[in-house]
Amino acid sequence: MWLLNTSTYQIVFAEDPSQVRYAILSHVWSSTGEQTFQHIQTIHTSARSSFPYTCEDTDPRLLDVIRSQLSTKITSCCDYARSQGHPNLWIDACCIDKTSSAELSEAINSMFTWYSQADVCYVFLSDVSSSENPVEKLSFFRRSIWFKRGWTLQELIVPSRIVFLAKDWRMIGTVAGLAKTIEDVTGIDADILLHRRQLQTVSVAQRMAWAAGRETTRIEDEAYCLMGIFGVRLAVIYGEGSQAFVRLQEEIMTRIPDQSLFLWGIQPDVRCFPPPPATLWPLLTSVSMVHLRASKSAYLFASSPMDFFHSKGFTPVPLGTFSGMLELPDASRPPLHTPSGYGVYTTLPIITLSIPAEEDQEGTEFQAAILVRM
């Protein structure tokens, strides 16, 4: 893990991040770009070469030259972190050598851990003023683009301590003080934000719903930014497109016994099975196949987090409890879901539902494969 020294602005390597104290930055990248790992190295090399003698790392004249070439975001964040007693800082833009595909893959898979191990996470909101009240209904805080990005979801949930900073680098508040406001904005329960409830207790569908509507620059990042949320790891393959989200769901399916993974594409006004068979069809066909991005062999899976937009509020039921509700004899046999070249091979409990005859119409009997109970 590479870290930025907040006093010298040098990038240093930490072999074991868990043994190093550091602050971490969460932000939305500027439309004009950010200074990268290579930019920082070049700035240091150029600054040192401008002196006819060898400079100490803390030489004020050297630091002045370096500061003059660094972005305001980097210097301001270093200044703030240093003022709070943090000698090291991690910023995704400049602390990952993206020219190394192996390092990039490791960083993306480790990011959840790095945010969880940080002493504090500084959330820089470039579109929010420190003079406003963030709690007010029409505040810029509530409307900040930061709440609409894919990667910032885990950056909101994971850190043990979060400080929100306005565009002038003044403190707006902490997640502890703004938890209810953030819950209103994101739909994420305050107990999750405050770590009073474990992330693993939230259904897969609910966690996917948190990501619905959030945007990523690369389509693959729709999946990669959620790996930590579900505790899985994936090979990072930029260029695979929406197949990354299919791979994410396959990995979740094999590791988490929660069938709410399949509760996507639900209409907001359809939450249970009504008696007449005809009314089942809106639930089964609420997402047109034409609009699915995923491969045709993967229709059991959603095509993007957006398909889970209305999948909030589902709670997994233990297998024994579930089987008892349906009076199934094989309560000890868990459902199986196996990916294959033809899609997903699955076994599910089947129950027969009967609708009594009405007037001159015959009764109707049909079978339903049961996933979960709400």
Side-chain angles (χ1 to χ4, degrees), residues 339-353:
S340 75
Y342 295 96
V344 176
Y345 176 82
T346 183
T347 59
L348 297 169
I350 302 293
I351 61 173
T352 299
L353 300 177

Side-chain angles (χ1 to χ4, degrees), residues 11 29 34-41 74 93-96 98:
I11 297 178
W29 283 32
E34 302 281 344
Q35 288 181 322
T36 66
F37 182 91
Q38 283 69 33
H39 285 139
I40 305 299
Q41 302 288 52
I74 290 178
C94 64
C95 291
I96 303 174
K98 297 179 182 65

Side-chain angles (χ1 to χ4, degrees), residues 132-348:
E132 72 162 20
N133 182 356
V135 177
E136 292 185 358
K137 290 296 183 183
L138 298 178
S139 68
F140 282 99
F141 177 82
R142 288 175 177 267
R143 292 178 286 161
S144 175
I145 191 175
W146 185 85
F147 289 112
K148 298 176 175 61
R149 303 297 291 175
W151 283 105
T152 59
L153 175 59
Q154 69 175 3
E155 295 162 16
L156 171 62
I157 294 173
V158 181
S160 58
R161 181 168 172 254
I162 298 177
V163 174
F164 292 94
L165 303 173
K167 57 186 177 183
D168 60 359
W169 292 92
R170 294 178 180 273
M171 190 174 82
I172 298 172
T174 65
V175 73
L178 295 169
K180 283 299 181 183
T181 300
I182 297 170
E183 180 180 3
D184 289 343
V185 174
T186 64
I188 302 171
D189 191 90
D191 284 343
I192 293 293
L193 298 173
L194 298 176
H195 295 197
R196 295 193 296 237
R197 180 184 174 190
Q198 291 187 344
L199 185 59
Q200 292 76 15
T201 64
V202 180
S203 71
V204 169
Q206 180 79 55
R207 281 181 268 178
M208 284 290 190
W210 291 342
R214 288 178 176 257
E215 300 176 353
T216 58
T217 303
R218 301 288 295 270
I219 190 173
E220 295 87 352
D221 285 335
E222 288 183 343
Y224 302 156
C225 72
L226 295 177
M227 289 191 292
I229 298 292
F230 294 103
V232 301
R233 297 176 71 90
L234 296 174
V236 176
I237 311 172
Y238 282 108
E240 67 174 327
S242 59
Q243 186 61 26
F245 194 65
V246 173
R247 288 200 297 124
L248 173 69
Q249 292 170 93
E250 288 178 345
E251 193 67 18
I252 292 171
M253 181 184 69
T254 58
R255 293 182 177 275
I256 304 177
D258 178 358
Q259 295 174 58
S260 69
L261 172 66
F262 308 122
L263 295 178
W264 53 269
I266 297 173
Q267 291 183 348
D269 57 341
V270 181
R271 300 293 292 179
C272 61
F273 288 108
T279 59
L280 288 173
W281 295 113
L283 178 63
L284 300 175
T285 62
S286 56
V287 174
S288 170
M289 295 298 180
V290 176
H291 301 295
L292 292 177
R293 291 202 315 253
S295 66
K296 291 186 177 181
S297 63
Y299 280 152
L300 186 60
F301 294 132
S303 61
S304 79
M306 192 63 189
D307 292 340
F308 288 89
F309 190 83
H310 295 296
S311 299
K312 304 178 180 70
F314 289 101
T315 303
V317 175
L319 181 61
T321 304
F322 175 69
S323 299
M325 290 175 176
L326 300 179
E327 299 181 354
L328 298 176
D330 53 349
S332 61
R333 184 184 304 171
L336 300 175
H337 312 292
T338 307
S340 75
Y342 295 96
V344 176
Y345 176 82
T346 183
T347 59
L348 297 169

Side-chain angles (χ1 to χ4, degrees), residues 18-128:
S18 66
Q19 301 301 313
V20 182
R21 293 195 59 192
Y22 63 94
I24 201 163
L25 177 67
S26 176
H27 65 119
V28 174
W29 283 32
S30 168
S31 59
T32 58
E34 302 281 344
Q35 288 181 322
T36 66
F37 182 91
Q38 283 69 33
H39 285 139
I40 305 299
Q41 302 288 52
T42 300
I43 287 172
H44 276 271
T45 301
S46 175
R48 288 182 178 279
S49 66
S50 65
F51 291 89
Y53 56 88
T54 302
C55 298
E56 296 292 333
D57 293 343
T58 56
D59 188 318
R61 288 167 293 184
L62 174 64
L63 295 179
D64 285 343
V65 174
I66 292 172
R67 282 183 65 94
S68 68
Q69 298 179 55
L70 290 174
S71 70
T72 301
K73 182 184 290 187
I74 290 178
T75 56
S76 296
C77 192
C78 282
D79 291 345
Y80 190 90
R82 187 173 63 254
S83 72
Q84 302 300 307
H86 299 289
N88 300 300
L89 175 67
W90 189 86
I91 304 177
D92 57 354
C94 64
C95 291
I96 303 174
D97 183 0
K98 297 179 182 65
T99 62
S100 168
S101 58
E103 181 171 327
L104 177 60
S105 180
E106 180 183 358
I108 289 176
N109 276 279
S110 302
M111 215 168 288
F112 186 94
T113 301
W114 291 350
Y115 273 91
S116 67
Q117 292 177 345
D119 290 344
V120 60
C121 175
Y122 295 125
V123 175
F124 175 58
L125 305 179
S126 60
D127 52 357
V128 178

